[in-house]
Amino acid sequence: MKKILIVDDEPEMCRLLKRILESEKEYQVFTALNADDAMTLLTSTAMDLVLSDIRMPGPSGLALADHIKQHHPDTGIILVSVISDPEELRAALAIGLYGYILKPFDCQQVLITVANALRRQELESKERRARRDLEKEVFTKNIDLKQSSWEIEQARSDLKTSNRILHEQLLFMQ
């Protein structure tokens, strides 16, 4: 079950979005009335996706999105707003958001945007895990290579020493 957090300072909007998302039966939906409460909830509960209003009292939805990107990189973000300011939209997309929903919205638009965002979030999470696994493997292989290189150098040194001793013994026997 995917966990989704709705952040909006309007309780009615939280209830509406929660009702829409819970109609799918595959989402567990949480709500917060401001960015500070959302950040607190995110520290205790890993979310797959956050739908956040942009303009709220206290930290904005953009500030929340930035916080999520820094501290919860496996959490996707969709901004929801009545504002269709192109500059705000560009700023939102520059952060790397998964979507932008304008109020008033169509229920199907919300469900489709959320489903697409969750697919993208899952793919990006898998990519990050694969990259971390690959980096670990490369690190381990580098350590193994350094160890092997050291062992080869040690064997060369031992061989030189053995050759020198053998050469000295041959000279002594003559």
Side-chain angles (χ1 to χ4, degrees):
M1 184 166 271
K2 297 290 185 176
K3 293 182 181 178
I4 300 174
L5 173 60
I6 299 167
V7 186
D8 199 306
D9 59 324
E10 297 177 33
E12 304 82 32
M13 187 58 62
C14 285
R15 282 193 293 276
L16 175 61
L17 284 168
K18 184 174 182 170
R19 196 169 44 248
I20 291 168
L21 294 173
E22 286 180 338
S23 72
E24 289 299 296
K25 307 287 187 227
E26 59 194 67
Y27 304 135
Q28 183 178 8
V29 183
F30 301 80
T31 60
L33 295 176
N34 57 58
D36 289 327
D37 290 348
M39 288 181 216
T40 300
L41 184 57
L42 285 165
T43 60
S44 63
T45 306
M47 298 291 170
D48 297 294
L49 186 66
V50 173
L51 277 76
S52 177
D53 191 8
I54 293 179
R55 295 201 177 152
M56 301 178 283
S60 70
L62 289 174
L64 174 61
D66 191 48
H67 171 83
I68 292 169
K69 280 296 194 182
Q70 290 179 26
H71 301 284
H72 309 281
D74 286 333
T75 301
I77 308 157
I78 295 173
L79 290 182
V80 183
S81 182
V82 294
I83 302 156
S84 61
D85 177 11
E87 289 303 313
E88 200 163 63
L89 179 57
R90 274 192 275 286
L93 294 175
I95 293 172
L97 302 181
Y98 290 17
Y100 192 94
I101 299 172
L102 287 174
K103 298 176 191 175
F105 47 77
D106 174 79
C107 295
Q108 287 304 313
Q109 174 198 11
V110 171
L111 292 173
I112 290 168
T113 302
V114 166
N116 286 335
L118 286 168
R119 267 194 293 280
R120 178 178 163 189
Q121 176 267 344
E122 187 176 330
L123 290 171
E124 288 181 0
S125 291
K126 283 181 182 177
E127 180 187 359
R128 275 190 290 280
R129 281 192 299 276
R131 187 178 301 126
R132 281 192 300 266
D133 291 347
L134 184 59
E135 287 170 354
K136 284 179 190 175
E137 187 174 335
V138 167
F139 180 77
T140 302
K141 296 290 182 190
N142 279 337
I143 289 173
D144 292 346
L145 184 59
K146 286 178 183 177
Q147 178 67 28
S148 295
S149 181
W150 180 84
E151 289 171 358
I152 289 169
E153 287 303 315
Q154 189 65 41
R156 280 185 182 150
S157 176
D158 291 347
L159 185 58
K160 282 182 184 178
T161 301
S162 294
N163 281 340
R164 185 180 46 77
I165 292 171
L166 183 60
H167 181 68
E168 289 173 359
Q169 287 177 347
L170 286 174
L171 286 176
F172 179 72
M173 291 172 75
Q174 290 179 352

